[in-house]
Amino acid sequence: MKNKLNIGVVFGGQSGEHEVSRVSAYNVLGVIDRDKYNIVTIGISKQGKWFLYAGDAEKIKDGSWEQDQKNLTADFSIFDHPEISKIDVFFPVLHGPMGEDGTIQGVFEMLNKPYVGCGVLSSAVGMDKVFSKIMFQSVGIPTGKYIYFRENDWKCDPDAKIAEIEKALGYPIFVKPANMGSSVGITKAHDRTELVAAIKEAFVYDNKLILEDFVKGREIECAVLEVGDAIRASIPGEVIPSKEFYDYEAKYSATEDSKVVIPADLSPEITKKVRDYAIKAFEAIEGSGLTRVDFFVTEDERILINEVNTLPGFTNISMYPKMWEATGIGYIELVDLIIASAKRKRTTVS
């Protein structure tokens, strides 16, 4: 096939979700159509070093790619390397800070290259659980109760902050870094002792935390995708966690007993409302390309938005591709549509 697009697949990164990124990249590389695309694979180590990698994708999955010296090109500048200049579309398969928070999206903008996923602003807002909730509330999407504070606030007077938290939320409380994904650093605190430990743990990952009240409800997810000029929402799926909540291990360990039900067993009315809210949330953060939107549905059928993920996982057990498959879009077609949406993206420089 003539005029194949050059796709730069970027994986790894410096966040706590480095390993998830590698597995997602392995799956994307396994289904991307080589008759349509030339692939340039770019790995970022946990130390932030960039490499061009031309080796076996299996080594990306297991983490041994960095030792594959004969297939690595290191110490290159992303701004002037000839392989980079030939890339038509970047496909970041990155999760967490510096991957889906607008940081690397800004690099692509500086390169004046189209890229998969949300832009700088929407990526930053989507990653920040506080600002995203503010945006959701502004367009009328219900959220649960929450408060947030920074590390300096905590250090100034921990006892006063604990009293404020307990008065506002009560137990149990979910303690989260404001800017992380894949449930990294999240703890469910049942009492004051657990709360203090949870706050200290979350501050390892971010200097701003969000604390949320416990919502007794089902965990419902919905995938959003730009198809041409339309924004589509998938059939929702339900996560039934094996633990008290769907933590990092439960999401990405094949040995966990968490269950995924697609389609979620919801009434037609609630299904429609979840899908409508998912699109509304995507629009609220000015999203583009793709996003996964997570909700709680309570016993009395209240729908509360939890968060959005602007670069959802593509592992073999990830919800985003599974929900689209159930909606009628297979993995290969899904990757094509995601790349097509990136081609329509206008970069900052004309």
Side-chain angles (χ1 to χ4, degrees):
M1 180 181 290
K2 295 182 180 179
N3 300 320
K4 292 201 292 186
L5 283 176
N6 298 313
I7 306 296
V9 177
V10 188
F11 70 91
Q14 295 174 263
S15 83
E17 299 173 69
H18 177 98
E19 290 77 12
V20 179
S21 168
R22 292 201 323 260
V23 178
S24 289
Y26 169 80
N27 284 338
V28 169
L29 290 168
V31 300
I32 199 165
D33 191 341
R34 306 293 173 129
D35 290 331
K36 292 182 179 179
Y37 312 113
N38 295 313
I39 308 302
V40 177
T41 311
I42 304 161
I44 305 174
S45 72
K46 287 185 176 180
Q47 293 73 39
K49 194 170 184 179
W50 292 57
F51 300 88
L52 291 172
Y53 180 62
D56 190 343
E58 287 284 347
K59 294 186 177 182
I60 295 174
K61 184 180 182 181
D62 66 21
S64 62
W65 67 278
E66 290 185 63
Q67 286 72 55
D68 189 6
Q69 295 296 323
K70 67 179 181 179
N71 288 306
L72 287 179
T73 301
D75 299 323
F76 71 93
S77 169
I78 193 170
F79 292 101
D80 58 20
H81 195 281
E83 283 291 310
I84 301 300
S85 66
K86 294 176 185 175
I87 290 174
D88 296 305
V89 175
F90 279 99
F91 196 135
V93 192
L94 296 163
H95 310 303
M98 290 183 281
E100 58 180 309
D101 62 355
T103 304
I104 200 164
Q105 289 77 13
V107 173
F108 300 146
E109 293 279 355
M110 292 173 69
L111 289 167
N112 196 27
K113 296 281 188 179
Y115 53 94
V116 161
C118 291
V120 175
L121 175 64
S122 52
S123 296
V125 172
M127 171 60 71
D128 191 301
K129 295 178 177 66
V130 176
F131 284 110
S132 59
K133 284 190 188 302
I134 292 170
M135 296 307 298
F136 302 148
Q137 291 172 323
S138 74
V139 296
I141 306 175
T143 70
K145 291 190 294 184
Y146 68 94
I147 64 171
Y148 67 95
F149 55 89
R150 292 172 176 80
E151 193 166 15
N152 284 342
D153 302 326
W154 170 255
K155 288 179 177 178
C156 285
D157 195 341
D159 291 336
K161 188 57 64 178
I162 288 171
E164 178 189 346
I165 294 165
E166 290 176 334
K167 182 178 180 181
L169 302 176
Y171 292 103
I173 298 167
F174 279 101
V175 181
K176 304 178 180 181
N179 288 276
M180 280 297 292
S182 292
S183 300
V184 173
I186 296 178
T187 306
K188 185 179 180 181
H190 301 82
D191 54 40
R192 183 173 293 190
T193 300
E194 290 185 0
L195 175 62
V196 172
I199 289 171
K200 291 178 179 178
E201 170 68 13
F203 275 135
V204 172
Y205 299 98
D206 196 2
N207 64 6
K208 183 171 73 173
L209 308 186
I210 182 169
L211 282 69
E212 301 169 344
D213 70 333
F214 172 68
V215 176
K216 188 176 181 181
R218 298 161 63 189
E219 297 186 32
I220 304 297
E221 301 185 354
C222 189
V224 178
L225 176 68
E226 280 191 309
V227 181
D229 294 327
I231 302 171
R232 292 185 58 187
S234 73
I235 290 171
E238 179 175 5
V239 176
I240 304 173
S242 59
K243 300 181 178 180
E244 282 198 272
F245 68 98
Y246 200 37
D247 65 6
Y248 183 91
E249 186 177 4
K251 284 183 178 181
Y252 298 113
S253 173
T255 62
E256 286 292 323
D257 294 326
S258 296
K259 296 179 181 178
V260 171
V261 179
I262 305 173
D265 184 13
L266 301 168
S267 69
E269 293 78 15
I270 295 299
T271 296
K272 182 181 186 305
K273 200 165 186 179
V274 164
R275 296 175 84 171
D276 289 345
Y277 273 157
I279 291 173
K280 198 170 185 178
F282 182 81
E283 293 174 331
I285 65 166
E286 298 187 2
S288 58
L290 72 161
T291 289
R292 193 194 71 236
V293 188
D294 301 345
F295 299 92
F296 296 113
V297 176
T298 65
E299 289 181 355
D300 58 356
E301 295 194 325
R302 288 185 303 131
I303 301 171
L304 302 174
I305 192 167
N306 182 23
E307 62 186 34
V308 296
N309 190 315
T310 55
L311 277 176
F314 278 85
T315 72
N316 62 317
I317 58 174
S318 292
M319 288 284 281
Y320 188 85
K322 284 182 173 294
M323 288 186 287
W324 278 119
E325 186 174 29
T327 311
I329 299 177
Y331 212 139
I332 295 173
E333 183 186 1
L334 179 62
V335 170
D336 282 345
L337 289 170
I338 289 169
I339 291 172
S341 72
K343 285 170 61 183
R344 293 190 299 273
K345 186 192 299 289
R346 293 187 62 183
T347 51
T348 305
V349 182
S350 60

